[in-house]
Amino acid sequence: MYAFLLVLLILDGILLTVVVLLQSGQGGGLASMGGGGGAGTDNLIGGRQAVTLLTKTSWITGGAFLGLALLLSILSSRQVGSGPVLRDTFQGAPAPVTAPGTGAPAPIPGTTTDPAATPPATTPAPATTGN
């Protein structure tokens, strides 16, 4: 359904482009609005125009374009049973890292190993002076 709506949006966009380019321009654009008098407000507000087939078609295709774009954005924001791609990868136990050149796992900094396997740390006694 998503692909069908996407194709409709693309076709509607192409049709909207063609319809807008076929319409004749108002002439002047923003440059003709300066200069005072009542003519400026007529151009600003829009005045009365004859509604042509191209005008109706451009409104319909523009509305359909906005509606399809909104619908596609809502459909694409929903989760469809998919989650983060790496979640399954990192949920298991990490693989042991081996030290280069040996087959034994390398110690991970900041972690402790089995306390029975490590000898207790000894600190040398302070030296006394004979005064």
Side-chain angles (χ1 to χ4, degrees), residues 44-55:
L44 180 65
I45 296 172
R48 302 246 338 153
Q49 299 177 358
V51 179
T52 63
L53 179 65
L54 288 176
T55 306

Side-chain angles (χ1 to χ4, degrees), residues 6 15 29 43 63 68 71-72 77 95 112 117 128 130:
L6 187 62
L15 181 64
N43 284 338
L68 284 170
L71 184 62
L72 283 170
S77 68
T112 59
T128 59

Side-chain angles (χ1 to χ4, degrees), residues 31-84:
S32 68
M33 288 178 50
T41 55
D42 248 358
N43 284 338
L44 180 65
I45 296 172
R48 302 246 338 153
Q49 299 177 358
V51 179
T52 63
L53 179 65
L54 288 176
T55 306
K56 285 183 182 179
T57 308
S58 64
W59 276 101
I60 291 169
T61 55
F65 187 86
L66 289 175
L68 284 170
L70 179 65
L71 184 62
L72 283 170
S73 68
I74 290 170
L75 287 177
S76 68
S77 68
R78 292 184 179 178
Q79 294 277 336
V80 188
S82 65

Side-chain angles (χ1 to χ4, degrees), residues 1-126:
M1 179 165 156
Y2 185 83
F4 175 71
L5 291 175
L6 187 62
V7 169
L8 276 180
L9 181 73
I10 292 170
L11 292 175
D12 186 46
I14 293 170
L15 181 64
L16 178 62
T17 303
V18 170
V19 168
V20 167
L21 289 176
L22 284 176
Q23 292 181 13
S24 62
Q26 293 289 94
L30 290 176
S32 68
M33 288 178 50
T41 55
D42 248 358
N43 284 338
L44 180 65
I45 296 172
R48 302 246 338 153
Q49 299 177 358
V51 179
T52 63
L53 179 65
L54 288 176
T55 306
K56 285 183 182 179
T57 308
S58 64
W59 276 101
I60 291 169
T61 55
F65 187 86
L66 289 175
L68 284 170
L70 179 65
L71 184 62
L72 283 170
S73 68
I74 290 170
L75 287 177
S76 68
S77 68
R78 292 184 179 178
Q79 294 277 336
V80 188
S82 65
V85 176
L86 298 177
R87 178 184 292 165
D88 296 334
T89 304
F90 292 117
Q91 276 186 340
V97 178
T98 58
T102 65
I108 300 172
T111 61
T112 59
T113 57
D114 184 20
T118 53
T122 59
T123 57

